[in-house]
Amino acid sequence: MARSAGGPASFRPSPGSIPESPGVYRFKDPEGRVIYVGKAKSLRQRLNSYFADFAGLHPRTQTMLTTAAAVDWTVVGTEVEALQLEYSWIKEYDPRFNVKYRDDKSYPYLAVTMGEEFPRVQVLRGAKREGTRYFGPYSHAWAIRETVDLLLRVFPIRSCSAGVFRRAAQIGRPCLLGYIDKCSAPCVSRVTAVEHRALAEDFCDFMAGNTGRFIKRLEGEMRQAAAEQEYERAARLRDDVEALRRALEKQAVVLGDNTDCDVIALAEDALEAAVQVFYVRGGRIRGQQGWVVDKVEEAGPAALVEHFLLQMYGEAAPETLPREVLVPVLPPDAGAVAELLGEQRGARVEIRVPQRGDKRSLMETVERNAKESLAQHKLKRSSDLTSRSKALQELADALDLDRAPLRIECYDVSHLQGTNVVASMVVFEDGLARKSEYRRFSIRSTEGDVASIHEVISRRFKRHLEERVATGELAELGAEAGEGEGAPGSTGPGIDPETGRPRKFAYSPQLIVVDGGPAQAAAAQRALDELGVDDVAVCGLAKRLEEVWLPGEDLPVILPRSSEALYLLQRVRDEAHRFAIAYHRSKRSKSVRESALDDVPGLGPARRQALIKHFGSVKRLREATAAEICQVPGIGPATAETIVSALKGENPA
């Protein structure tokens, strides 16, 4: 073991001391707590990569190394043993820098308590209980209750609570379900414990996919009852068969009858990932489940899939493992993972990426669910008042602000090789987007992103100062003091008295965020200094490493990857980026449409616009004849011929 408290270089193992064998390693903090567990085909190669180039490591890895004070390792014989030991250590130590999937406890299961003397069917959530068989999970609890209501006609097992069961036994009278034949009423000894358990086992067999024999049996009994002229019993059996078929219809058939597989898909961003699983048994989707994970360690899609497979199936019962697991990408050690799962199942487990056909279509459906799950998770997180308040306070503390930045403005520049340069301004108030306050700018400067940031900040705050003068807020700049807030007819400094609406640039932010590093942050600060604005903080968010740069500082502010403050800054930056790109595309599209007509003599903006509106595109205009062009109002024969010769003479490419 290498141990120290003087930074990564001080506990680096001595050259040659690390074996080249496969194994599992642990990083520990100064108190000896395990903070990260990893596996490697070659321990020497993997561990040396942590210490060779610290500056080139991902920020999450850098944070882990600066937190650690020691590293040790254990050599194993095979990659499968490495996977087993890694999973065991992660479960035992719960390291803070390892990926941990948070099971969404809101997913309900259909559960049958086979461990009780009289098994009970019910809806359960949360941790699994010993002696209980689970089916699902389902998207909604009502879907389970509808299924159970149908199946209790055929398998009338107990569904009441322990208190109701004891009460019925004491008074010798069953509950309503017993009277309408949706419970066999073991509470009053209508059936024995053995007979009731047999019903429960049949219920479980049906839910597990062994459906055909029950339907055939009931159909046979129905025909026999009809032959014996027991028409009421035959009608009841007919209704039972129909109930079973309706229960089956609620589980969509997506693949062949003998297909048992789990379909796994993920959606991710820089901070989080969402995983969705569809459980297919007997060709039918029996349920789905979702997880969300904070990406506290550096992990791509393949590594996330491997972590998920180990955590999901690590303690699963052998009978619950499918024959086939469909994944979006193969894990790095797919063969070893498949072998490990096969050992646990007692039969072969295949892990593969579907390429075509029904399985590929189902994978695309699961991927859409994963994207929606991640979007819903982020929406819930962003709309949570506690999270927003925490994010704003964390920002104030990290950037050394006097108070929480209740209004944040973010600026981004978009262009294509220096053409059609635009900028966006988005506004977040109290941690939520204020879209009515968004603004966009056409940039005049052609000197690059830094000059563009300087221009847009200058223009925005010049307008802000003009608005303050107009409202009387800045009396020293020429406005009468009596025209300000509180004067007769005034509606407040941010409100236009003529329209009653907020003035476009009246409100000042507490924090400006620019998309970029130290150069962009410095340009924004310089623009504020030139205008004498000294009550607005500035920072830049560099996308590559998610570093926060303050003007004039040599080193960035590093926010924790899991912090609400960084999450808020990223949302603000991404929204500004989206808004800028949308404006840039619309402007570029307009210029592309009109550029081909710019050099045609005698065509002004109005007639160019009329031509594009009539033909829909320059391409269709180029294919038109002079006679067809003459149909456009304002275009005569001579102008039409000029347009034809100008466009035909162009190189269409």
Side-chain angles (χ1 to χ4, degrees), residues 433-450:
R434 183 77 179 273
K435 294 193 175 184
S436 62
E437 298 284 305
Y438 287 13
R439 300 290 179 262
R440 57 190 192 181
F441 302 81
S442 290
I443 299 299
R444 308 179 187 112
S445 173
T446 58
E447 299 178 8
D449 287 357
V450 174

PDB file of all heavy atoms in Angstrom, residues 433-450:
ATOM      1  N   ALA A 433     -36.357  30.079 -15.495  1.00  0.00           N
ATOM      2  CA  ALA A 433     -36.252  30.849 -16.733  1.00  0.00           C
ATOM      3  C   ALA A 433     -37.374  31.880 -16.827  1.00  0.00           C
ATOM      4  O   ALA A 433     -38.529  31.573 -16.553  1.00  0.00           O
ATOM      5  CB  ALA A 433     -36.300  29.907 -17.926  1.00  0.00           C
ATOM      6  N   ARG A 434     -37.019  33.092 -17.205  1.00  0.00           N
ATOM      7  CA  ARG A 434     -37.996  34.174 -17.432  1.00  0.00           C
ATOM      8  C   ARG A 434     -37.960  34.498 -18.926  1.00  0.00           C
ATOM      9  O   ARG A 434     -37.276  35.426 -19.368  1.00  0.00           O
ATOM     10  CB  ARG A 434     -37.619  35.381 -16.569  1.00  0.00           C
ATOM     11  CG  ARG A 434     -38.588  36.549 -16.658  1.00  0.00           C
ATOM     12  CD  ARG A 434     -39.843  36.287 -15.857  1.00  0.00           C
ATOM     13  NE  ARG A 434     -40.745  37.420 -15.923  1.00  0.00           N
ATOM     14  CZ  ARG A 434     -40.704  38.462 -15.099  1.00  0.00           C
ATOM     15  NH1 ARG A 434     -39.775  38.495 -14.126  1.00  0.00           N
ATOM     16  NH2 ARG A 434     -41.560  39.447 -15.209  1.00  0.00           N
ATOM     17  N   LYS A 435     -38.684  33.730 -19.731  1.00  0.00           N
ATOM     18  CA  LYS A 435     -38.528  33.796 -21.182  1.00  0.00           C
ATOM     19  C   LYS A 435     -39.004  35.109 -21.769  1.00  0.00           C
ATOM     20  O   LYS A 435     -38.535  35.521 -22.842  1.00  0.00           O
ATOM     21  CB  LYS A 435     -39.250  32.614 -21.837  1.00  0.00           C
ATOM     22  CG  LYS A 435     -38.612  31.283 -21.487  1.00  0.00           C
ATOM     23  CD  LYS A 435     -39.105  30.149 -22.370  1.00  0.00           C
ATOM     24  CE  LYS A 435     -38.338  28.869 -22.050  1.00  0.00           C
ATOM     25  NZ  LYS A 435     -38.711  27.753 -22.951  1.00  0.00           N
ATOM     26  N   SER A 436     -39.904  35.774 -21.101  1.00  0.00           N
ATOM     27  CA  SER A 436     -40.350  37.069 -21.622  1.00  0.00           C
ATOM     28  C   SER A 436     -39.237  38.118 -21.584  1.00  0.00           C
ATOM     29  O   SER A 436     -39.319  39.135 -22.269  1.00  0.00           O
ATOM     30  CB  SER A 436     -41.550  37.570 -20.810  1.00  0.00           C
ATOM     31  OG  SER A 436     -41.181  37.778 -19.447  1.00  0.00           O
ATOM     32  N   GLU A 437     -38.188  37.864 -20.814  1.00  0.00           N
ATOM     33  CA  GLU A 437     -37.078  38.808 -20.696  1.00  0.00           C
ATOM     34  C   GLU A 437     -35.915  38.455 -21.624  1.00  0.00           C
ATOM     35  O   GLU A 437     -34.900  39.156 -21.639  1.00  0.00           O
ATOM     36  CB  GLU A 437     -36.566  38.825 -19.245  1.00  0.00           C
ATOM     37  CG  GLU A 437     -37.585  39.287 -18.228  1.00  0.00           C
ATOM     38  CD  GLU A 437     -37.770  40.794 -18.262  1.00  0.00           C
ATOM     39  OE1 GLU A 437     -36.775  41.524 -18.124  1.00  0.00           O
ATOM     40  OE2 GLU A 437     -38.913  41.237 -18.446  1.00  0.00           O
ATOM     41  N   TYR A 438     -36.012  37.356 -22.361  1.00  0.00           N
ATOM     42  CA  TYR A 438     -34.931  36.975 -23.276  1.00  0.00           C
ATOM     43  C   TYR A 438     -34.761  38.056 -24.352  1.00  0.00           C
ATOM     44  O   TYR A 438     -35.728  38.645 -24.823  1.00  0.00           O
ATOM     45  CB  TYR A 438     -35.230  35.653 -23.967  1.00  0.00           C
ATOM     46  CG  TYR A 438     -35.113  34.414 -23.103  1.00  0.00           C
ATOM     47  CD1 TYR A 438     -35.019  34.498 -21.723  1.00  0.00           C
ATOM     48  CD2 TYR A 438     -35.120  33.145 -23.675  1.00  0.00           C
ATOM     49  CE1 TYR A 438     -34.925  33.364 -20.941  1.00  0.00           C
ATOM     50  CE2 TYR A 438     -35.027  31.997 -22.909  1.00  0.00           C
ATOM     51  CZ  TYR A 438     -34.936  32.108 -21.542  1.00  0.00           C
ATOM     52  OH  TYR A 438     -34.843  30.980 -20.774  1.00  0.00           O
ATOM     53  N   ARG A 439     -33.521  38.276 -24.774  1.00  0.00           N
ATOM     54  CA  ARG A 439     -33.228  39.220 -25.852  1.00  0.00           C
ATOM     55  C   ARG A 439     -32.174  38.613 -26.773  1.00  0.00           C
ATOM     56  O   ARG A 439     -31.391  37.758 -26.370  1.00  0.00           O
ATOM     57  CB  ARG A 439     -32.691  40.551 -25.282  1.00  0.00           C
ATOM     58  CG  ARG A 439     -33.651  41.263 -24.348  1.00  0.00           C
ATOM     59  CD  ARG A 439     -34.853  41.823 -25.077  1.00  0.00           C
ATOM     60  NE  ARG A 439     -35.781  42.490 -24.164  1.00  0.00           N
ATOM     61  CZ  ARG A 439     -36.875  41.935 -23.664  1.00  0.00           C
ATOM     62  NH1 ARG A 439     -37.189  40.697 -23.981  1.00  0.00           N
ATOM     63  NH2 ARG A 439     -37.658  42.611 -22.857  1.00  0.00           N
ATOM     64  N   ARG A 440     -32.160  39.089 -28.028  1.00  0.00           N
ATOM     65  CA  ARG A 440     -31.149  38.612 -28.977  1.00  0.00           C
ATOM     66  C   ARG A 440     -30.555  39.809 -29.706  1.00  0.00           C
ATOM     67  O   ARG A 440     -31.216  40.837 -29.894  1.00  0.00           O
ATOM     68  CB  ARG A 440     -31.750  37.608 -29.947  1.00  0.00           C
ATOM     69  CG  ARG A 440     -32.938  38.119 -30.733  1.00  0.00           C
ATOM     70  CD  ARG A 440     -33.620  36.985 -31.478  1.00  0.00           C
ATOM     71  NE  ARG A 440     -34.580  37.489 -32.452  1.00  0.00           N
ATOM     72  CZ  ARG A 440     -35.316  36.717 -33.223  1.00  0.00           C
ATOM     73  NH1 ARG A 440     -35.217  35.402 -33.120  1.00  0.00           N
ATOM     74  NH2 ARG A 440     -36.156  37.239 -34.102  1.00  0.00           N
ATOM     75  N   PHE A 441     -29.308  39.663 -30.123  1.00  0.00           N
ATOM     76  CA  PHE A 441     -28.561  40.774 -30.702  1.00  0.00           C
ATOM     77  C   PHE A 441     -27.875  40.316 -31.987  1.00  0.00           C
ATOM     78  O   PHE A 441     -27.331  39.208 -32.046  1.00  0.00           O
ATOM     79  CB  PHE A 441     -27.466  41.259 -29.735  1.00  0.00           C
ATOM     80  CG  PHE A 441     -27.971  41.693 -28.387  1.00  0.00           C
ATOM     81  CD1 PHE A 441     -28.253  40.751 -27.398  1.00  0.00           C
ATOM     82  CD2 PHE A 441     -28.145  43.035 -28.084  1.00  0.00           C
ATOM     83  CE1 PHE A 441     -28.699  41.133 -26.147  1.00  0.00           C
ATOM     84  CE2 PHE A 441     -28.601  43.425 -26.835  1.00  0.00           C
ATOM     85  CZ  PHE A 441     -28.878  42.479 -25.859  1.00  0.00           C
ATOM     86  N   SER A 442     -27.890  41.191 -33.000  1.00  0.00           N
ATOM     87  CA  SER A 442     -27.037  40.998 -34.172  1.00  0.00           C
ATOM     88  C   SER A 442     -25.726  41.732 -33.896  1.00  0.00           C
ATOM     89  O   SER A 442     -25.732  42.941 -33.613  1.00  0.00           O
ATOM     90  CB  SER A 442     -27.698  41.555 -35.436  1.00  0.00           C
ATOM     91  OG  SER A 442     -28.796  40.755 -35.807  1.00  0.00           O
ATOM     92  N   ILE A 443     -24.641  41.010 -33.963  1.00  0.00           N
ATOM     93  CA  ILE A 443     -23.341  41.575 -33.574  1.00  0.00           C
ATOM     94  C   ILE A 443     -22.686  42.263 -34.771  1.00  0.00           C
ATOM     95  O   ILE A 443     -22.647  41.713 -35.875  1.00  0.00           O
ATOM     96  CB  ILE A 443     -22.430  40.465 -33.018  1.00  0.00           C
ATOM     97  CG1 ILE A 443     -23.073  39.840 -31.785  1.00  0.00           C
ATOM     98  CG2 ILE A 443     -21.051  41.014 -32.685  1.00  0.00           C
ATOM     99  CD1 ILE A 443     -23.307  40.796 -30.646  1.00  0.00           C
ATOM    100  N   ARG A 444     -22.179  43.472 -34.527  1.00  0.00           N
ATOM    101  CA  ARG A 444     -21.522  44.238 -35.585  1.00  0.00           C
ATOM    102  C   ARG A 444     -20.030  43.934 -35.657  1.00  0.00           C
ATOM    103  O   ARG A 444     -19.431  44.016 -36.721  1.00  0.00           O
ATOM    104  CB  ARG A 444     -21.723  45.733 -35.339  1.00  0.00           C
ATOM    105  CG  ARG A 444     -23.206  46.111 -35.129  1.00  0.00           C
ATOM    106  CD  ARG A 444     -23.384  47.591 -34.867  1.00  0.00           C
ATOM    107  NE  ARG A 444     -24.773  47.896 -34.498  1.00  0.00           N
ATOM    108  CZ  ARG A 444     -25.151  48.300 -33.303  1.00  0.00           C
ATOM    109  NH1 ARG A 444     -24.259  48.451 -32.339  1.00  0.00           N
ATOM    110  NH2 ARG A 444     -26.427  48.558 -33.058  1.00  0.00           N
ATOM    111  N   SER A 445     -19.438  43.604 -34.526  1.00  0.00           N
ATOM    112  CA  SER A 445     -18.000  43.360 -34.480  1.00  0.00           C
ATOM    113  C   SER A 445     -17.634  42.107 -35.262  1.00  0.00           C
ATOM    114  O   SER A 445     -18.376  41.125 -35.274  1.00  0.00           O
ATOM    115  CB  SER A 445     -17.533  43.206 -33.026  1.00  0.00           C
ATOM    116  OG  SER A 445     -16.178  42.803 -32.983  1.00  0.00           O
ATOM    117  N   THR A 446     -16.492  42.124 -35.913  1.00  0.00           N
ATOM    118  CA  THR A 446     -15.999  40.950 -36.654  1.00  0.00           C
ATOM    119  C   THR A 446     -14.652  40.489 -36.101  1.00  0.00           C
ATOM    120  O   THR A 446     -13.887  39.842 -36.811  1.00  0.00           O
ATOM    121  CB  THR A 446     -15.859  41.297 -38.143  1.00  0.00           C
ATOM    122  OG1 THR A 446     -14.966  42.418 -38.297  1.00  0.00           O
ATOM    123  CG2 THR A 446     -17.200  41.635 -38.755  1.00  0.00           C
ATOM    124  N   GLU A 447     -14.383  40.815 -34.846  1.00  0.00           N
ATOM    125  CA  GLU A 447     -13.058  40.548 -34.279  1.00  0.00           C
ATOM    126  C   GLU A 447     -13.040  39.339 -33.348  1.00  0.00           C
ATOM    127  O   GLU A 447     -12.114  39.176 -32.560  1.00  0.00           O
ATOM    128  CB  GLU A 447     -12.563  41.791 -33.528  1.00  0.00           C
ATOM    129  CG  GLU A 447     -12.418  43.008 -34.433  1.00  0.00           C
ATOM    130  CD  GLU A 447     -11.984  44.242 -33.661  1.00  0.00           C
ATOM    131  OE1 GLU A 447     -11.648  44.097 -32.463  1.00  0.00           O
ATOM    132  OE2 GLU A 447     -11.981  45.338 -34.249  1.00  0.00           O
ATOM    133  N   GLY A 448     -14.067  38.505 -33.387  1.00  0.00           N
ATOM    134  CA  GLY A 448     -14.041  37.285 -32.590  1.00  0.00           C
ATOM    135  C   GLY A 448     -14.993  37.318 -31.407  1.00  0.00           C
ATOM    136  O   GLY A 448     -15.654  38.326 -31.120  1.00  0.00           O
ATOM    137  N   ASP A 449     -15.043  36.176 -30.689  1.00  0.00           N
ATOM    138  CA  ASP A 449     -16.001  36.003 -29.598  1.00  0.00           C
ATOM    139  C   ASP A 449     -15.783  36.993 -28.456  1.00  0.00           C
ATOM    140  O   ASP A 449     -16.739  37.482 -27.853  1.00  0.00           O
ATOM    141  CB  ASP A 449     -15.912  34.574 -29.050  1.00  0.00           C
ATOM    142  CG  ASP A 449     -16.521  33.572 -30.017  1.00  0.00           C
ATOM    143  OD1 ASP A 449     -17.048  33.993 -31.058  1.00  0.00           O
ATOM    144  OD2 ASP A 449     -16.461  32.358 -29.732  1.00  0.00           O
ATOM    145  N   VAL A 450     -14.513  37.273 -28.128  1.00  0.00           N
ATOM    146  CA  VAL A 450     -14.229  38.165 -26.997  1.00  0.00           C
ATOM    147  C   VAL A 450     -14.768  39.566 -27.282  1.00  0.00           C
ATOM    148  O   VAL A 450     -15.438  40.187 -26.448  1.00  0.00           O
ATOM    149  CB  VAL A 450     -12.716  38.200 -26.700  1.00  0.00           C
ATOM    150  CG1 VAL A 450     -12.417  39.249 -25.629  1.00  0.00           C
ATOM    151  CG2 VAL A 450     -12.223  36.830 -26.263  1.00  0.00           C
TER     152      VAL A 450
END
